Amino acid sequence: MINFSKYTDGLVPAIVQDNETKNVLMLGFMNQEALEKTFATNKVTFFSRSKNRLWTKGEESGNFLNLVSYSVDCDNDTLLLKVNPVGTTCHTGSDTCWNENNKQDYGFLTKLENTIKERKESATAEKSYVASLFEKGINKIAQKVGEEAVEVVIEAKDNNDDLFLNESADLLFHYLILLQAKGFQLNDVVKVLKNREK
């Protein structure tokens, strides 16, 4: 359990993380009373050092931080609060207190999506395979996804893992291009899958 007596002011740092995107939204401080109120209301409450009182995030703006779960670090002196934010988190109107967008990031796949988008928007079809596919239109892109899917199935029946993984990469790559051609991104598909979760 959290050790509130470790520091002379009885406050411990509370790191707030979006439960879905995993982005860090802000840092606040909590005492025992703030933590108990957070548990009772499921709305994150801090102890405001400037106001010298309990302060529920969103009490004025309506941009609450709805508690999903919490954990305590290895030294029992720092909290990690996973939340579902309502609106922006920072008082400046930014998604986070570091002025970052709170968007889902899939690491390399997000980077790849951004590269595909840049190539789609550039007029260098002669230099870019991706741009040339977009230039040929949706039918050609869809055809490529179909071809790659068939190749994945063929390689899945054989025992060459390298070929299977390479064809799988080709399929995923072309599928991301097809999503962009249709005006969607990977996150749109993830949302559909999450809605199916039981």
Side-chain angles (χ1 to χ4, degrees):
M1 198 59 186
I2 194 76
N3 182 4
F4 289 101
S5 62
K6 188 167 185 176
Y7 303 107
T8 55
D9 56 8
L11 300 176
V12 297
I15 300 163
V16 179
Q17 181 184 43
D18 188 301
N19 189 55
E20 292 294 319
T21 66
K22 306 306 179 196
N23 293 324
V24 174
L25 302 177
M26 67 172 291
L27 170 72
F29 292 89
M30 297 177 112
N31 59 12
Q32 180 74 46
E33 189 180 3
L35 185 60
E36 288 172 1
K37 184 172 180 185
T38 296
F39 291 157
T41 63
N42 278 330
K43 297 193 182 324
V44 176
T45 299
F46 300 101
F47 183 85
S48 171
R49 295 173 297 171
S50 57
K51 298 173 184 175
N52 198 32
R53 66 170 176 84
L54 291 185
W55 165 67
T56 299
K57 176 72 181 90
E59 65 187 23
E60 294 177 9
S61 66
N63 293 342
F64 294 103
L65 298 171
N66 296 318
L67 183 68
V68 175
S69 65
Y70 83 100
S71 55
V72 181
D73 79 331
C74 58
D75 291 323
N76 296 322
D77 61 4
T78 303
L79 287 161
L80 175 62
L81 307 172
K82 294 185 179 179
V83 303
N84 288 329
V86 177
T88 60
T89 298
C90 187
H91 69 280
T92 65
S94 178
D95 285 350
T96 78
C97 289
W98 290 269
N99 199 30
E100 296 174 335
N101 289 326
N102 185 23
K103 292 184 178 176
Q104 186 70 57
D105 190 315
Y106 301 103
F108 175 76
L109 290 179
T110 297
K111 181 181 175 186
L112 182 56
E113 274 192 319
N114 291 334
T115 300
I116 290 169
K117 183 178 180 186
E118 289 169 11
R119 302 275 167 85
K120 176 186 177 186
E121 293 169 354
S122 72
T124 57
E126 69 279 356
K127 296 179 185 175
S128 164
Y129 171 71
V130 172
S132 70
L133 273 180
F134 281 112
E135 191 175 79
K136 291 173 184 171
I138 191 75
N139 289 343
K140 181 61 177 176
I141 296 169
Q143 178 186 340
K144 282 300 292 178
V145 172
E147 290 170 4
E148 298 301 340
V150 169
E151 290 174 13
V152 167
V153 171
I154 291 169
E155 293 305 333
K157 294 174 176 261
D158 290 334
N159 292 322
N160 189 325
D161 291 344
D162 286 338
L163 285 176
F164 171 72
L165 289 174
N166 275 285
E167 294 301 343
S168 296
D170 288 346
L171 174 58
L172 181 55
F173 175 69
H174 286 91
Y175 178 64
L176 291 175
I177 293 172
L178 181 61
L179 281 176
Q180 292 267 344
K182 295 292 290 179
F184 297 108
Q185 291 186 310
L186 191 56
N187 200 44
D188 296 304
V189 178
V190 170
K191 285 177 185 174
V192 172
L193 291 171
K194 283 182 179 177
N195 287 336
R196 294 179 183 176
E197 188 178 26
K198 294 182 181 180

